Amino acid sequence: MSKKVTRRSFLKRMTFGTLGLIGLSYGGYYYAHEIEPKWLKIINSPISSNRIPEPFNGFKILQFTDTHIGFHYSLKDFEKLIQYINKQSADLVVFTGDLTDDPSNITSLEYDKIIELLSLIDAPYGKYWIFGNHDHGGYGTSMIQTVMKQGGFSLLQNSSVKIPKDNAEFTLSGTDDVLLGSPNLSNLIQDGEEDLFNVLLCHEPDYAEEAMKYPFDVQLSGHSHGGQIQLPFIGYIVTPQLGTEYVEGSYTLGQNPLQLFVSRGIGTTRLPFRFFCRPEINVYTLKANTSSS
């Protein structure tokens, strides 16, 4: 027999229920604002291809992206990130855009500190970067370009470079930002180099629909922040333009095929929260598929 609910017990339940919701709301806010955005994880992913030369077997490429310094991401946070990066002992380091959230809001002293920290990144086979949409436009374009250069990073803006190792090489290419720049893929892979292992850096992941028409083996992107907030049964909450189709993780596209890897990145934008979407840096280990025959 069910117990009769009195007015007093009803009010008591309502009071505890309301207090519980307030507590959960505050706890969720604190977690999403203060804890998860700082809870960095390392994602290790193998990349296999029969076009990877044998000398590059075990070669490590580290990608970090979307730091958005100045929006809920401080220089102290950035300093810790550099320490995490160097602990991975990567051969090659790439940055795929959006260094600051708003370049005009960063002081000259802060830029000096960013340059100092970028200079500390150790990568024996080089450090490369591409523009993100938050890096581009007026003052920001030239300032971010200067900062990255002084920090030891080489810009790939609709350009390519060969990464050599033991008489072998692969091609690393980068596009201009798709949203605010002028991307051009047509001249990145030269005639006769279609059979090389070709890696593309592109800030916006959805541009892979265009990149898969070319002989790229891998595309590394950021921009989407992994949706930044993920809710059960609802999915991704914050997905920017050209970051809606491929939001996080890995995808295989086209007949070539193109392996697309989308990083959740480091910082936040628009909303200073992460929920069920921890920030990450990504380490890709190349695996040469050599024939045993």
Side-chain angles (χ1 to χ4, degrees):
M1 183 175 180
S2 61
K3 186 178 179 180
K4 184 178 180 179
V5 178
T6 65
R7 181 174 182 274
R8 181 178 180 181
S9 63
F10 174 78
L11 291 174
K12 185 177 180 181
R13 290 182 185 182
M14 285 293 293
T15 300
F16 278 112
T18 301
L19 290 175
L21 286 174
I22 292 172
L24 286 173
S25 298
Y26 176 78
Y29 175 92
Y30 182 82
Y31 171 81
H33 189 267
E34 299 295 335
I35 296 178
E36 189 166 303
K38 316 295 182 184
W39 192 10
L40 182 69
K41 64 178 179 178
I42 313 297
I43 303 296
N44 290 281
S45 303
I47 295 179
S48 299
S49 172
N50 56 12
R51 302 209 294 185
I52 296 175
E54 179 60 29
F56 286 98
N57 191 50
F59 190 89
K60 292 169 67 175
I61 301 173
L62 184 146
Q63 175 198 15
F64 72 109
T65 190
D66 295 272
T67 45
H68 287 268
I69 296 170
F71 183 83
H72 199 49
Y73 195 80
S74 69
L75 289 178
K76 287 186 178 180
D77 296 323
F78 191 55
E79 185 171 6
K80 292 179 182 177
L81 173 67
I82 303 304
Q83 294 172 1
Y84 272 108
I85 289 173
N86 282 335
K87 285 180 181 178
Q88 306 313 306
S89 300
D91 297 295
L92 180 74
V93 171
V94 298
F95 176 69
T96 50
D98 285 359
L99 179 66
T100 68
D101 198 64
D102 183 351
S104 65
N105 285 338
I106 306 297
T107 68
S108 59
L109 288 177
E110 289 172 326
Y111 274 126
D112 287 343
K113 184 62 176 179
I114 292 172
I115 291 169
E116 175 188 332
L117 293 172
L118 288 171
S119 300
L120 295 177
I121 296 177
D122 183 34
Y125 286 84
K127 303 186 291 188
Y128 297 89
W129 77 287
I130 58 171
F131 281 112
N133 56 301
H134 282 254
D135 303 315
H136 245 327
Y139 166 85
T141 301
S142 59
M143 177 54 69
I144 298 300
Q145 187 170 352
T146 297
V147 168
M148 295 300 294
K149 181 177 181 179
Q150 293 183 3
F153 278 74
S154 299
L155 174 63
L156 295 175
Q157 187 178 17
N158 296 329
S159 57
S160 301
V161 65
K162 296 293 188 297
I163 306 298
K165 187 176 189 290
D166 298 342
N167 296 318
E169 62 184 12
F170 72 86
T171 303
L172 179 67
S173 301
T175 69
D176 197 1
D177 180 67
V178 181
L179 289 172
L180 296 179
S182 300
N184 186 349
L185 299 173
S186 61
N187 296 318
L188 294 182
I189 299 175
Q190 301 300 315
D191 292 341
E193 297 180 346
E194 297 87 350
D195 291 333
L196 288 179
F197 182 63
N198 294 302
V199 178
L200 176 68
L201 308 180
C202 179
H203 184 65
E204 288 86 358
D206 292 358
Y207 198 61
E209 297 283 352
E210 182 66 23
M212 70 179 184
K213 301 173 185 177
Y214 296 82
F216 293 106
D217 298 281
V218 172
Q219 176 178 320
L220 305 181
S221 297
H223 182 59
S224 66
H225 297 232
Q228 202 163 295
I229 298 170
Q230 299 184 23
L231 297 179
F233 309 111
I234 297 177
Y236 306 117
I237 302 302
V238 182
T239 51
Q241 184 181 0
L242 291 180
T244 60
E245 294 299 318
Y246 308 104
V247 182
E248 63 172 331
S250 61
Y251 308 84
T252 301
L253 307 175
Q255 295 181 344
N256 192 41
L258 173 69
Q259 299 179 67
L260 170 64
F261 294 87
V262 186
S263 174
R264 290 177 175 178
I266 306 298
T268 59
T269 189
R270 291 194 280 178
L271 295 173
F273 305 107
R274 280 188 178 270
F275 193 70
F276 291 149
C277 189
R278 287 170 57 188
E280 64 187 32
I281 58 178
N282 304 78
V283 179
Y284 308 99
T285 302
L286 302 187
K287 302 293 185 182
N289 289 342
T290 55
S291 174
S292 58
S293 59

